[in-house]
DNA sequence: AGCATATTCAACCAAATGGTTGACGATATG
DNA sequence: CATATCGTCAACCATTTGGTTGAATATGCT
């Protein structure tokens, strides 16, 4: 019963939201934008500044992040301010946590994962 | 939190992995497969059975999940067994937790791990 | 050997993604 | 008013994605 309920929850609940949230997080530019917004709210132009990419492209990325609920945008004057909305990530995080709960936090395994990333490890 | 330099290294170094992990999680079919594998290891054909989609399509999905490190595949006889590998997801989860203190997770343990194992704290 | 089962490969296709450029509406400022 | 700035829109393009089908490979069974 518990298993059935959990399976149902995993399969159906928030599936569309998870689609858009994970898809939004899958792009390194968008993740970088989120990290920038962690420091402070920013105008669209300022978000775009460090990237070697057109303003229009950044604007599209911001739209995707907004639709995923990961940020919000508020226009004040001619400036549109972007604000991080960390709650949207909660749904995805909770979903992912479901895959670790049956096991206590396996730091050793995570360490093994990191070993492959250390300079001189993999690649 | 941890030292900024190390945090930056961590984000940079894992960027490609996060690309593939989040992209893999962005598809509902693949998330459903992961949920199925939460119950038990499964053969490719059995994974494919509940889906209204060709076996080849499921095989591709499983390849994507494998490359993201979210599952592993072991061939025994003519049957290829698929096994959930939650560690990759944990890495993504750790990344997400930088954006909010919403999950009760292991950040302390992770921080201790970073302090002792990463360049600067390492030999 | 001969046949059935398990899985992948290869070629193809439609749709989505991530980028560009140029024009445009809206807002601030001299 | 005139002009500069902020941001989006529209059209376009190349690449990736998610699916199909049919053939191919590998293993197991009698």
């Amino acid at each position: 019963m518990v298993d059935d309920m959990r399976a149902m929850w995993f399969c159906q609940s928030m599936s569309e939201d998870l689609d858009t949230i994970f898809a939004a997080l899958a792009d390194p530019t968008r993740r970088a934008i989120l990290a920038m917004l962690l420091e402070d709210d920013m105008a669209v132009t300022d978000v775009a500044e460090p990237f070697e990419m057109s303003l229009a492209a950044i604007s599209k990325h911001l739209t995707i992040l907004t639709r995923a609920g990961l940020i919000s945008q508020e226009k004040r004057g001619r400036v549109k301010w972007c604000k991080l909305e960390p709650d949207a990530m909660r749904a995805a995080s909770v979903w992912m946590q479901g895959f670790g709960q049956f096991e206590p936090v396996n730091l050793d395994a995570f360490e093994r994962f990191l070993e492959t990333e250390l300079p001189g490890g993999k690649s």
Side-chain angles (χ1 to χ4, degrees), chain A residues 83-102:
Chain A
K83 179 172 178 295
L84 193 64
E85 294 288 347
D87 282 351
M89 243 180 278
R90 171 185 271 261
S93 181
V94 165
W95 184 85
M96 291 196 306
Q97 290 296 317
F99 291 89
Q101 274 177 357
F102 58 90

Side-chain angles (χ1 to χ4, degrees), chain A residues 71-118:
Chain A
I71 69 170
S72 60
Q73 292 182 287
E74 181 201 358
K75 192 170 177 183
R76 279 206 306 271
R78 64 177 167 180
V79 174
K80 206 164 181 180
W81 293 92
C82 305
K83 179 172 178 295
L84 193 64
E85 294 288 347
D87 282 351
M89 243 180 278
R90 171 185 271 261
S93 181
V94 165
W95 184 85
M96 291 196 306
Q97 290 296 317
F99 291 89
Q101 274 177 357
F102 58 90
E103 217 176 85
V105 173
N106 189 348
L107 203 55
D108 290 340
F110 190 67
E111 173 176 356
R112 262 182 274 116
F113 174 83
L114 281 179
E115 280 302 322
T116 68
E117 302 302 319
L118 283 167

Side-chain angles (χ1 to χ4, degrees), chain A residues 41-77:
Chain A
D41 298 359
M42 296 179 78
V44 173
T45 303
D46 295 331
V47 169
E49 195 271 332
F51 296 97
E52 292 173 346
M53 176 184 315
S54 70
L55 182 62
I58 297 294
S59 179
K60 282 188 185 180
H61 281 304
L62 290 170
T63 300
I64 290 170
L65 287 170
T66 300
R67 278 210 257 269
L70 291 162
I71 69 170
S72 60
Q73 292 182 287
E74 181 201 358
K75 192 170 177 183
R76 279 206 306 271

